[in-house]
C-alpha cells in the first residue's frame, strides 16, 4: 500500500452541480478520496453515478451548462478550485492530464496526429516547433505505433480506434504529468485491443511513475491494475478498500451487487468482465432517495435505511464503507469519520 | 485531382445549356415587343417589321434558339440590339466593376461575419451575443435597396462624407459594398455562431482544453478549423445571392456593373445582352462552387477528390 507516501491529490467534500432548465442536477454530492503518488486508484460505479463528472471537476473542464464546483481539490497541497483560469490551465496536461473514453471523437479530425501531441509539449515545455515534433514522434514510438515518423504526419481518420487511444496515452504522457485521469480508456475498444492498451498504460505508468485514477466498468481491469478501489453510487462514495479486499470481502451491498454478490476465487482473472446487473436503476441526480441512496435497490434494506443517511464508517486505515449494516456490527469499535 | 477537375468542368456544360434554354424561353414570355421598344413610339408598322426581321424575331422560336445555340458554342454571344456592339464587349466593360464590388463585399462579410459569429458562440446568451444575433436578424430582414437608400441618405445627403453613386475612387466603393455585404455578413455570422457552438461542445475541444492550451488556441485552432467547412459553404452559396444583390445595389448606386447592364437591357428588351450577362453570372457561380469544393479538400483532410 501507499500509506508511507503523502497524498498527491486530496478531494475533500467535492460537490458538483449543474443548473439546468429542469432543475439542479447534483452529479457529485460530497465525495472524499485521496490519490497517492505513483498508485493506480480504481473508481467504479454504474453508469451515471458521477465518475466522469468527478474527473472533469478536478481539471474544471465542465463548461456547459456552467457547473458549480464546491469543496476542495488539493493537488500537491494547493487547492485547484482557488486557481484562476491561467493557473488551472498550467496544471492541465502538464501536471494532470486526461484520457477520454471515445477515441473516435476525442482527437481533432483536421489536425495532424503529431501536431496534436506536439502542441501540448510546446505549450508547457517551451519547446520549439521542431523539438516538439520530434518529441511527439518519440511519444508515438513509446506507445508502440509502428512507423511513428510517417504516422505523425497523418490525420486521425487513418488511425484505428486502438491506435487513437495509444495516441491519447502518448499525448497524456507527453509532459510527464504526476497524475492521469483515465476515464474508461478502453470501454470503446474491442476486447483484444483493450488488454493491449491496458498493459501499455500499466507499463508506462511505472516507467513515468505517474499516478492514475482509473475510471472503469471493468472489474477485471481493476483487479489487474488498481491498488485501491473507490466505489461510487449516485454521486457519493459508498466504499473504499484495497483491491484485494474488495474482491475478497466487499462490505457494501452495492459493491457486493457489482461483484455478483459472492466473491469467486479466480474471477478477477477474467478480464473484460462487465458489472453484474443489480435490480432497479440508478436514481436520477435530481431526486435522490431519502436515507441511504441505495435503499430502494438494496437486498438487505432495514427500516433505518429509508429514513437516515448512513455515516461513513472507517473499518481500518485503508477501508471505509457507508452502510447501516456496518454501523450496527461495528458499533463498539466504530470511529465514524467524515461522511 | 485532375480527373475530378475535368469531370466537374464537363458537368458544367449541361448546366449552362439548361440556363440558356430556360432563359431564352422565359425572356420571350415577357410582355413587350423588342422591335417596338427599339423602334420607339413614332415608328411605323413597316419600320417595326423591318427591325423584327433584322433581329431574326420573325422566325419560329425553336429556329431562333438553334441559331443562338450554334453561335453560343462558338463563344459568340451576338450583338446588342440596343447598341449594336458585340455583347461580349458590353459584358467585359462591366464585369470588372461587379467583381470588384462582389469581392470587396465578400471580404467585408468574412471580416465581420466570422468574428461576430465566434464572439457570439464563445459567450452564448451574453449581451454581445444578443447584439450579434439581433443585428444579424436585422441584416437578413432588411431589403437591399432600402438599406442602400438609407446609407445614401445618412452618409451622402446628411453627413456628405461619401458619394451617393457612380465610380472613380475608392470612396465610391464603400457604400455599395456595405449594402451588398450586409445580408451576407448576417448569414455568415449566424452560420459561424451555430457551427462554433457545436464544435466548442465536441469531445476534441475538451481534449484540447485538457492539454492546457490557451483559450485562444482552443477556439481558433481547434473549434474554428472544424467549423470552417459549413462556413465556407455558406460563403460560396452567398456568392450567388451577392450577384443577385448586385442588380439592386448597382441600380441604387448607379454603379456601372453587370447588374445594371441587366436591368437596362431588360427595360430595352435587349435579349442578347440579357442572355449573355445572365450566362456569365451562371458561369461565375459555377466557378465559385468549384473553388469552394477545392477549399474543402484543403481545410479538411478527410475530403479527397479522385
Ligand atoms: N453537463 C451536464 N449537465 C447536466 N447533467 C449532467 C451533465 N454532465 C453529467 N450530468 C449528469 O450527472 C450524472 C453523472 O454523470 P457522469 O457522466 O459523471 O456519469 P458516469 O459515472 O461517468 O457514467 P458513465 O459510466 O456512463 O460514464 C448523470 O446523471 C448525468 O446525467
Ligand atoms: Mg463517464
Amino acid at each position: 500500500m501507499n500509506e508511507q507516501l503523502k497524498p498527491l491529490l486530496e478531494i475533500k467534500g467535492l460537490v458538483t452541480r449543474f443548473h439546468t432548465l429542469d432543475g439542479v442536477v447534483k452529479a457529485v454530492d460530497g465525495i472524499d478520496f485521496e490519490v497517492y503518488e505513483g498508485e493506480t486508484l480504481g473508481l467504479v460505479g454504474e453508469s451515471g453515478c458521477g465518475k466522469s463528472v468527478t474527473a472533469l471537476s478536478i481539471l474544471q473542464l465542465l463548461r456547459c451548462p456552467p457547473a458549480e464546483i464546491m469543496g476542495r481539490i488539493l493537488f500537491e497541497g494547493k487547492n485547484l478550485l482557488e486557481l484562476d483560469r491561467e493557473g488551472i490551465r498550467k496544471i492541465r496536461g502538464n501536471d494532470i492530464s486526461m484520457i477520454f473514453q471515445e477515441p473516435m471523437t476525442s482527437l481533432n479530425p483536421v489536425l495532424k496526429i503529431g501536431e496534436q501531441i506536439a502542441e501540448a509539449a510546446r505549450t508547457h515545455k517551451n519547446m520549439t516547433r521542431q523539438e516538439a515534433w520530434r518529441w511527439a514522434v518519440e511519444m508515438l514510438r513509446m506507445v508502440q505505433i509502428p512507423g511513428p515518423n510517417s504516422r505523425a504526419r497523418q490525420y486521425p481518420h487513418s488511425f484505428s480506434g486502438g491506435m487513437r487511444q495509444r495516441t491519447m496515452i502518448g499525448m497524456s504522457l507527453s509532459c510527464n504529468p504526476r497524475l492521469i485521469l483515465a476515464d474508461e480508456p478502453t470501454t470503446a475498444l474491442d476486447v483484444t485491443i483493450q488488454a493491449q492498451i491496458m498493459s501499455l498504460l500499466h507499463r508506462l505508468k511505472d516507467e513515468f511513475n505517474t499516478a492514475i485514477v482509473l475510471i472503469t466498468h471493468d472489474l477485471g481491469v481493476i483487479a489487474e491494475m488498481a491498488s485501491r478501489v473507490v466505489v461510487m453510487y449516485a454521486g457519493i462514495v459508498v466504499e473504499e478498500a484495497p483491491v484485494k479486499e474488495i474482491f475478497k470481502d466487499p462490505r457494501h451491498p452495492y459493491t457486493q451487487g457489482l461483484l455478483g454478490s459472492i466473491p469467486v476465487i479466480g474471477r478477477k482473472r477474467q478480464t473484460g468482465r462487465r458489472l453484474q446487473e443489480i435490480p432497479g436503476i440508478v436514481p436520477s441526480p435530481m431526486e435522490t432517495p431519502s436515507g441511504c441512496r441505495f435503499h430502494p435497490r438494496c437486498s438487505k434494506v432495514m427500516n433505518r435505511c429509508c429514513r437516515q443517511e448512513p455515516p461513513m464508517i472507517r473499518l481500518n486505515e485503508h477501508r471505509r464503507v457507508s452502510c447501516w449494516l456496518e454501523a450496527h456490527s461495528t458499533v463498539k469499535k466504530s470511529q465514524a469519520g467524515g461522511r | 485531382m485532375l480527373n475530378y477537375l475535368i469531370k466537374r468542368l464537363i458537368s458544367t456544360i449541361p448546366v449552362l445549356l439548361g440556363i440558356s434554354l430556360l432563359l431564352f424561353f422565359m425572356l420571350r414570355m415577357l410582355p413587350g415587343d423588342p422591335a417596338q421598344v427599339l423602334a420607339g413610339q413614332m415608328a411605323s408598322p413597316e419600320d417595326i417589321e423591318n427591325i423584327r426581321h433584322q433581329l431574326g424575331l420573325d422566325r419560329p422560336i425553336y429556329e431562333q434558339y438553334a441559331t443562338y445555340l450554334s453561335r453560343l458554342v462558338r463563344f459568340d454571344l451576338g450583338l446588342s440590339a440596343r447598341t449594336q456592339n458585340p455583347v461580349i464587349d458590353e459584358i467585359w466593360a462591366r464585369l470588372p466593376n461587379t467583381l470588384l464590388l462582389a469581392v470587396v463585399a465578400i471580404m467585408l462579410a468574412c471580416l465581420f461575419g466570422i468574428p461576430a459569429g465566434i464572439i457570439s458562440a464563445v459567450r452564448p446568451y451574453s449581451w454581445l451575443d444578443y447584439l450579434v444575433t439581433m443585428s444579424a436578424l436585422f441584416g437578413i430582414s432588411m431589403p437591399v435597396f432600402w438599406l442602400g437608400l438609407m446609407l445614401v441618405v445618412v452618409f451622402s445627403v446628411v453627413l456628405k462624407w461619401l458619394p451617393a453613386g457612380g465610380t472613380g475612387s475608392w470612396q465610391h466603393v464603400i457604400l455599395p459594398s456595405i449594402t451588398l455585404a450586409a445580408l451576407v455578413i448576417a448569414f455568415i455570422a449566424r452560420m459561424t455562431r451555430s457551427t462554433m457552438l457545436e464544435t466548442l461542445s465536441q469531445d476534441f475541444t475538451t481534449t484540447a482544453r485538457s492539454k492546457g492550451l490557451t483559450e485562444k488556441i482552443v477556439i481558433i485552432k481547434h473549434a474554428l478549423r472544424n467549423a470552417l467547412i459549413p462556413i465556407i459553404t455558406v460563403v460560396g452559396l452567398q456568392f450567388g445571392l451577392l450577384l443577385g444583390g448586385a442588380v439592386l445595389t448597382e441600380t441604387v448606386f448607379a454603379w456601372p456593373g453587370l447588374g445594371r447592364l441587366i436591368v437596362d437591357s431588360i427595360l430595352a428588351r435587349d435579349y442578347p445582352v440579357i442572355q449573355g450577362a445572365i450566362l456569365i453570372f451562371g458561369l461565375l457561380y459555377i466557378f465559385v462552387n468549384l473553388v469552394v469544393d477545392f477549399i474543402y479538400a484543403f481545410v479538411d483532410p478527410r475530403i479527397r477528390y479522385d
Side-chain angles (χ1 to χ4, degrees), chain B residues 69 126 136 178 240:
Chain B
L69 210 57
S126 65
I178 290 177

Side-chain angles (χ1 to χ4, degrees), chain A residues 18 20 25-28 45-54 62 64-65 101 183-184 215 217 283-285:
Chain A
F18 297 99
T20 66
V25 179
K26 288 190 229 158
V28 173
E46 282 167 299
S47 193
C49 67
K51 307 181 299 291
S52 297
V53 171
T54 303
L62 295 156
C64 51
Q101 176 174 350
D183 189 357
E184 310 199 28
I215 297 174
H217 283 147
S284 144

